[in-house]
Amino acid sequence: MKHPYDDNITLDIAEEASKLLGIPTDQLFETYGQFFVVWCHRTNYASMMRVIGSNLFNFLSNLNALHAHLSMAFSSMKPPEFQCMSSDDPKKFYLHYYSCRDSLCGIAIGATREAARSLFNRRISINVISKTIDNSRYANRHHVVFEICDLGYADVKLARAETIAVELGPDSPLQMNGYSSDSSDYQPQVNYVNAKTFCRIFPFHIIFDQELIIKRVGIGLYRRLPGLNVNDKPRLDAFFECLKPPVKLCKRSIKSYQNNDFILQCKGESDNSCGSFQLKGEMVQLGEANSNYMFICSPVVEKLTDLKNRGLFISDIPLHDMTRELLLLNEQRLAEFQLSKQLEETTAQLQATSVALEMEKVKADNLLHSMLPPLVSDRLRNGDKVEAGEYEQASIMFSDIVGFTTICSQCRPMDVVQFLNSLYVKFDKLTNVHDVYKVETIGDAYMVVGGLPESCSNHAEKVARMALSMADCAVQVSSPSDNKPLRIRIGIHSGPVVAGVVGTKMPRYCLFGDTVNTASRMESHGLPGSIHISEACYKHLKGKGFRMQPRGKVPIKGKGLMNTYFVLRECQRSINLEEDPLRKKSETPSPHIDSLSPVDDKLPVTSNCMSVVPWKPPNQQNPCIIL
């Protein structure tokens, strides 16, 4: 609504609309002016319009004040100006319309006619008397003079009874400006006031003649302008310039805008850092034609500091002037505004701090979640006690790097650290992909668990997929000692486990139980590049789409003989196995032991998941189990 449009757009729209409706453009603008007043009645401007004036004459005379108020909200607004002049005919007056637009006077005609009907129940006629260019201003404006005649009530039913009697009478004294033609019978009692009393009551006033020669000034203005001496016959336009209306000070402009308020500014003070000295008031003619004028005014000040900057005091303002109350009220408003502004700034700072705090909280949570499971860390942060939990089934995986001792002996410590970091960063990303929890890393050992702290039934599948991904990822990393693809050894076991937070300083989420030991044994007794699993883990993976190869009974330290298996692949994943040295130590060989490859022979695997054919000796059954 506050977006300003170019006047050419308005004229183009009006021209097209007039062609479409088949009516002249002037008639279209008049209709729009009537609609604009109707629209104002439907908005919040209705109450404001009803109190502008008691009749049409006063209403139009004070429209400039309404436009000045609206210009505060609409900074790009270029409002017209209205000036009403009475005539000898009580039912007629003249409206002077000033605008920077020469083709929109039809809007003023329609708006005036509708305002007379809707606000004052009057039916009027409007005729254009003249169209000229007003050059009395600093910027020329189009000047249109309308003759407005009262034609009676727009709706007699809406008129009051006593008003109807007056209206229907043959010699109605009703006048468009609201005064009776018989008002000349009123003769007020004349009581003169001496100059001293007048200057005390009105300390800011200027009396000047038709030639703008200053005759007298108020005591407040005389003290503010010590260079002004009435004996030197100073001219008004030599000390002041007119800001509102923006016209040149002369007899004609003062008389033309006599119904408007004036703002005069002292010359030479527009660039004053303390602010210019301005006077706002009314031009009053002190008698008949060719008599003196009096500019009765008050200094324009908005806050108490303006008084100080202009060398004024509250005592300089007369008691009857509302400027006193407005200054103090505005000072209170400014104090409340500053307080509100500080509150808004504090609120904005608190919001920014809250956002920064939330970001830091996210960082702290991410760091804490990297050390402890999110479920556990959230409970610790809330001050809850985390009890150790017993889980009936979970899958634990250990991995280590083949030949890590040799790598450490042949490389610098910094190279080893960088090498481990590059490898474990890849592994850490895989934990998020497969929804498993990284317990810890000790040297080259990497420990992962599935199924806790949140229990799940597919814990073995998650860990097996994690192991296959780790095996694929490891070959993409080169050993810093010989630049050959890295090989890791992985072991997995499933079983019951106890988990809980141990310690208060640098707390760790630790796992306890025989399942942990067995998983570690699966890794230490595995083969390079292989995923070695226990029979318990094999039962969880059975029927889940994994290709597994039985290893047979293998002597496990602290456990004796155990049936173990190798996970080969899931779908497109695959790994190669080398000779199993532990197979020879088994006292009771498995029927599938001979199917494992001899030393340096590898298990050939094709890329098709359904065509994996492990190596087997002649006359032996295929030991690979497809589940």
Side-chain angles (χ1 to χ4, degrees), residues 227-301:
L228 192 152
N229 188 353
V230 294
N231 296 326
D232 297 335
K233 296 183 178 181
R235 289 181 57 86
L236 181 67
D237 53 358
F239 281 85
F240 297 95
E241 59 181 342
C242 188
L243 298 183
K244 180 184 177 184
V247 297
K248 301 174 183 178
L249 284 174
C250 62
K251 175 183 175 181
R252 176 170 172 246
S253 62
I254 292 174
K255 186 175 181 180
S256 299
Y257 292 94
Q258 192 171 346
N259 293 326
N260 293 30
D261 57 333
F262 279 73
I263 296 180
L264 302 186
Q265 176 176 279
C266 288
K267 286 188 175 181
E269 295 192 3
S270 58
D271 298 330
N272 192 348
S273 60
C274 294
S276 58
F277 182 66
Q278 298 177 357
L279 298 172
K280 181 178 181 180
E282 178 183 3
M283 294 288 184
V284 180
Q285 193 167 6
L286 298 180
E288 301 298 332
N290 299 324
S291 61
N292 294 336
Y293 286 92
M294 180 174 67
F295 180 51
I296 183 167
C297 54
S298 296
V300 178
V301 288

Side-chain angles (χ1 to χ4, degrees), residues 174-403:
L174 187 64
Q175 194 176 32
M176 281 295 292
N177 59 11
Y179 297 101
S180 170
S181 59
D182 297 334
S183 60
S184 58
D185 298 337
Y186 172 70
Q187 297 293 336
Q189 184 178 1
V190 179
N191 291 319
Y192 293 100
V193 59
N194 59 54
K196 184 177 180 179
T197 303
F198 186 86
C199 289
R200 180 182 60 82
I201 298 175
F202 301 103
F204 294 94
H205 74 275
I206 305 173
I207 297 179
F208 56 94
D209 60 13
Q210 299 283 334
E211 303 299 328
L212 302 184
I213 303 299
I214 298 177
K215 300 294 185 179
R216 190 178 68 190
V217 295
I219 186 65
L221 192 57
Y222 184 81
R223 186 172 61 249
R224 181 62 179 76
L225 300 175
L228 192 152
N229 188 353
V230 294
N231 296 326
D232 297 335
K233 296 183 178 181
R235 289 181 57 86
L236 181 67
D237 53 358
F239 281 85
F240 297 95
E241 59 181 342
C242 188
L243 298 183
K244 180 184 177 184
V247 297
K248 301 174 183 178
L249 284 174
C250 62
K251 175 183 175 181
R252 176 170 172 246
S253 62
I254 292 174
K255 186 175 181 180
S256 299
Y257 292 94
Q258 192 171 346
N259 293 326
N260 293 30
D261 57 333
F262 279 73
I263 296 180
L264 302 186
Q265 176 176 279
C266 288
K267 286 188 175 181
E269 295 192 3
S270 58
D271 298 330
N272 192 348
S273 60
C274 294
S276 58
F277 182 66
Q278 298 177 357
L279 298 172
K280 181 178 181 180
E282 178 183 3
M283 294 288 184
V284 180
Q285 193 167 6
L286 298 180
E288 301 298 332
N290 299 324
S291 61
N292 294 336
Y293 286 92
M294 180 174 67
F295 180 51
I296 183 167
C297 54
S298 296
V300 178
V301 288
E302 296 182 355
K303 47 185 180 294
L304 296 179
T305 54
D306 292 344
L307 287 175
K308 181 179 179 181
N309 294 336
R310 291 165 175 76
L312 299 174
F313 300 90
I314 291 183
S315 59
D316 295 332
I317 302 174
L319 295 176
H320 62 80
D321 196 337
M322 287 297 295
T323 305
R324 284 172 171 250
E325 287 73 14
L326 292 177
L327 275 175
L328 299 177
L329 182 63
N330 188 50
E331 196 68 21
Q332 180 181 358
R333 183 190 65 82
L334 289 176
E336 294 176 353
F337 174 76
Q338 290 295 334
L339 183 62
S340 176
K341 184 178 179 180
Q342 293 177 1
L343 183 60
E344 290 178 358
E345 292 176 352
T346 303
T347 302
Q349 292 177 358
L350 288 177
Q351 291 177 348
T353 304
S354 177
V355 172
L357 181 61
E358 188 65 26
M359 294 176 63
E360 294 298 326
K361 180 178 176 293
V362 171
K363 293 179 181 179
D365 288 345
N366 292 337
L367 180 61
L368 189 60
H369 291 167
S370 65
M371 300 172 59
L372 297 171
L375 182 63
V376 176
S377 61
D378 291 342
R379 295 185 61 183
L380 288 176
R381 185 183 57 204
N382 295 333
D384 299 334
K385 186 177 180 180
V386 180
E387 300 288 348
E390 183 175 357
Y391 299 86
E392 295 182 358
Q393 288 293 329
S395 295
I396 300 175
M397 181 198 75
F398 281 92
S399 72
D400 71 343
I401 299 173
V402 177

Side-chain angles (χ1 to χ4, degrees), residues 38 42 54 84 135 190 199-200 346 361 387 425 449 521 558:
V38 174
R42 300 173 183 172
S54 59
C84 295
N135 54 9
V190 179
C199 289
R200 180 182 60 82
T346 303
K361 180 178 176 293
E387 300 288 348
V425 166
V449 64
R521 294 289 183 265

Side-chain angles (χ1 to χ4, degrees), residues 410-429:
Q410 296 179 356
C411 300
R412 296 183 306 167
M414 186 59 66
D415 295 335
V416 175
V417 172
Q418 294 177 354
F419 152 69
L420 288 177
N421 181 67
S422 63
L423 179 65
Y424 289 161
V425 166
K426 298 178 184 294
F427 289 174
D428 292 343
K429 293 179 180 179

